[in-house]
Amino acid sequence: MPSHLSADRPAAQPPGGGSVDALISQTRRLKGDVDAVRRDAGGDGSDPGDRWQRALCDLALHQLDDLDAHLAQLREGPPTPPAADGAALPRAAAAAGPWRGSLLSRVGSAEWNLLTDEAVWSAELYRILGRDPAAPPLTLDELPSVVPEEDRPKLTAMVTGCLVDGRPIDGEFRVARPDGEVRTVHMMGEPVLDADGGTAAMWAVLRDVSALRRSERTVSETLDSLQRHHDRAQTEHRVAVEAQEAVLPPWRGALRLPHGEPGPLDVAGRYLPAASGSMIGGDWYDALELPGGATLLSVGDLTGHGPTVTSSMAMLLGALRGMAMAGTRPGPLMTLLNQMLEATGRPALASALCCQYRPGKRTLTWAQAGHPAPLLFRDGTGRRLDTPRGALLGAAPGGSYGHAEEILREGDLLLLHTDGLVTGDPGRAGDAGAAGTGRLLALAARLDEARDAADCVRLVVKEFGAAERQDDACVLVARVTS
């Protein structure tokens, strides 16, 4: 008969819920059958064969209980990450107590006669304890000599409870073999009573569970490591979000720049997180009223994710704001930001776009550092502004950055964005970016009909806010109102 494990058969697939339920039902039926066999073994405890059979049935029932619990865990699925409120990661055996292996290890037996002080060991017990089969078995008085000192009280308590109080033995302790290896054994046994009800002997079945306990420790350590990983990820995510929220503008609709009255620009923006929700990057958008009535518009993206990136982004944006307030024009400002990244000692790359709008002559002066150019929409059509020179910040030590100017008209609309908005596939970012820019320009007629900048942002988010976006992004819209 050919083996059921055939090379022609496909590899086993993870079981579905129905097959796991079937296995659980089979396991519980088997437990009932084994329990019936145990009851049939009966006897008065005087026959070693009956005691051996009953002990093996006890071990089998013990393992089937574990199998039942493991299958239930399989049906429920793997442990989940902690909730945002800090709930602990569920452990594989949270409710069922210590985890045990699902397969029997090697089993040996022993009987100690209290009347004759004789002991009888099975050959397997000799092998488990690493002792010479020609040597006499250890008596109950000698057995503690092979047990580490810290485990001796446990062994003594189990043996005393069995011999004095007639309690069954069910516990574990370690033994030191002559070769220096330390094994863990699980001992189950009962007293053997004489005709007067006194204890005449003690029998036991000893199972080598060393490998199972090593697996248990590995599972526990792995789950602990997973818990720490999730805790760390949650903390880093929270810190990154807090740092991001501290520096991004606290507005999601139209921006009212200071001094109450609507300014020459109607501005709105939005931050769009990545689909995973856990990748907080270094994207930013900003609008700032400058001395003299000019307005600063900027977007940018510091490469990477996490708290370090968001803190560096906050530093970069703070420097950008400070230099703009001091009157630095966009081109020199980019040059200084590049020098600052070089001086921090923390290798980083960033793309950035900085626009300065002066309402007196409706002049837009802008510079970029490896960033998508602004899109200008006018009279229902859109175009990409010509890009001045400028490499990524941090990529060109000593580099300088040019600037460009554009005269705007009332009703013109500027759209600034980070590349995460239009590059959904990192493997083909260039193609996806060009196609995404085309999609943005195709919105020209609809943007022209929008009531205000906030409506324009909502339109862009609806078009590009799909769940499959793999990176976070920012979009900033400014419409010339006067």
Side-chain angles (χ1 to χ4, degrees):
M1 178 182 296
S3 169
H4 68 286
L5 297 176
S6 170
D8 295 331
R9 296 186 58 180
Q13 299 299 312
S19 60
V20 173
D21 287 336
L23 289 173
I24 291 174
S25 298
Q26 293 174 20
T27 300
R28 292 174 181 173
R29 286 196 298 270
L30 185 57
K31 285 165 59 178
D33 294 340
V34 173
D35 190 50
V37 171
R38 185 189 185 284
R39 290 196 302 269
D40 292 340
D44 57 5
S46 60
D47 182 78
D50 289 343
R51 296 200 301 271
W52 173 260
Q53 185 178 12
R54 189 167 65 251
L56 285 179
C57 287
D58 287 339
L59 289 172
L61 286 171
H62 185 69
Q63 295 294 334
L64 286 170
D65 283 338
D66 293 336
L67 177 59
D68 193 359
H70 295 161
L71 288 172
Q73 294 164 11
L74 179 61
R75 179 176 58 188
E76 294 167 1
T80 55
D85 60 1
L89 180 73
R91 302 187 66 84
W99 178 86
R100 302 186 190 278
S102 58
L103 297 176
L104 291 174
S105 298
R106 292 178 301 165
V107 178
S109 63
E111 183 165 340
W112 291 274
N113 190 312
L114 302 184
L115 303 180
T116 64
D117 202 28
E118 293 178 338
V120 177
W121 283 10
S122 68
E124 186 57 37
L125 183 57
Y126 274 98
R127 286 192 288 271
I128 291 173
L129 301 185
R131 300 186 64 82
D132 183 356
L138 298 177
T139 66
L140 284 176
D141 291 333
E142 296 170 332
L143 185 59
S145 66
V146 300
V147 177
E149 185 174 353
E150 54 269 30
D151 286 6
R152 290 175 189 171
K154 185 189 304 182
L155 174 63
T156 300
M158 288 192 298
V159 173
T160 301
C162 180
L163 299 181
V164 177
D165 301 325
R167 294 197 302 265
I169 290 176
D170 186 356
E172 293 182 9
F173 54 90
R174 293 172 298 161
V175 294
R177 292 160 48 104
D179 59 8
E181 183 182 0
V182 176
R183 296 275 185 95
T184 301
V185 296
H186 186 105
M187 183 163 74
M188 299 179 69
E190 293 180 353
V192 179
L193 305 181
D194 58 20
D196 298 326
T199 302
M202 188 187 86
W203 65 268
V205 173
L206 292 94
R207 181 167 57 118
D208 184 355
V209 295
S210 304
L212 298 180
R213 296 303 169 255
R214 284 194 297 271
S215 297
E216 175 182 314
R217 287 192 297 273
T218 300
V219 169
S220 178
E221 291 167 1
T222 301
L223 287 173
D224 288 343
S225 175
L226 186 59
Q227 175 75 70
R228 291 192 297 271
H229 171 77
H230 283 299
D231 288 346
R232 184 168 60 251
Q234 287 286 338
T235 300
E236 291 181 353
H237 183 267
R238 185 179 65 253
V239 170
V241 169
E242 290 173 353
Q244 184 189 64
E245 291 179 344
V247 296
L248 291 186
W251 44 269
R252 293 296 181 269
L255 171 64
R256 296 301 184 193
L257 294 171
H259 311 310
E261 294 299 324
L265 292 178
D266 175 25
V267 185
R270 185 77 61 86
Y271 169 77
L272 303 175
S276 68
S278 61
M279 298 174 63
I280 302 298
D283 289 57
W284 83 80
Y285 65 100
D286 193 30
L288 180 67
E289 189 175 46
L290 302 176
T295 301
L296 174 74
L297 304 173
S298 70
V299 294
D301 181 9
L302 193 69
T303 56
H305 299 87
T308 300
V309 171
T310 52
S311 64
S312 296
M313 177 266 286
M315 175 193 69
L316 198 65
L317 181 54
L320 188 153
R321 287 171 172 170
M323 287 186 284
M325 290 292 290
T328 308
R329 301 292 297 276
L333 192 153
M334 287 294 179
T335 301
L336 291 172
L337 286 179
N338 187 55
Q339 294 174 1
M340 188 189 75
L341 276 185
E342 295 175 24
T344 59
R346 270 193 280 181
L349 294 175
S351 69
L353 174 61
C354 178
C355 301
Q356 187 181 92
Y357 177 70
R358 297 191 299 279
K361 295 184 178 181
R362 297 198 182 107
T363 303
L364 180 76
T365 304
W366 66 283
Q368 63 83 33
H371 198 89
L375 302 181
L376 174 61
F377 296 87
R378 176 181 293 166
D379 298 330
T381 62
R383 64 182 176 92
R384 181 176 178 270
L385 297 185
D386 293 335
T387 305
R389 69 179 186 279
L392 286 168
L393 298 176
S400 61
Y401 295 78
H403 68 269
E405 287 192 355
E406 187 78 22
I407 302 300
L408 302 184
R409 302 176 189 172
E410 184 175 350
D412 282 356
L413 185 138
L414 284 171
L415 192 152
L416 286 58
H417 65 87
T418 58
D419 59 1
L421 182 71
V422 295
T423 54
D425 184 354
R428 48 191 294 271
D431 295 341
T437 299
R439 288 171 58 196
L440 281 171
L441 293 174
L443 297 175
R446 296 162 65 187
L447 291 172
D448 189 55
E449 296 171 356
R451 293 177 304 171
D452 53 24
D455 272 353
C456 293
V457 169
R458 283 190 286 269
L459 177 61
V460 172
V461 170
K462 182 178 180 180
E463 182 73 19
F464 290 88
E468 67 269 14
R469 188 178 51 259
Q470 298 184 19
D471 197 5
D472 51 355
C474 288
V475 58
L476 183 65
V477 169
R479 173 173 277 169
V480 180
T481 58
S482 61

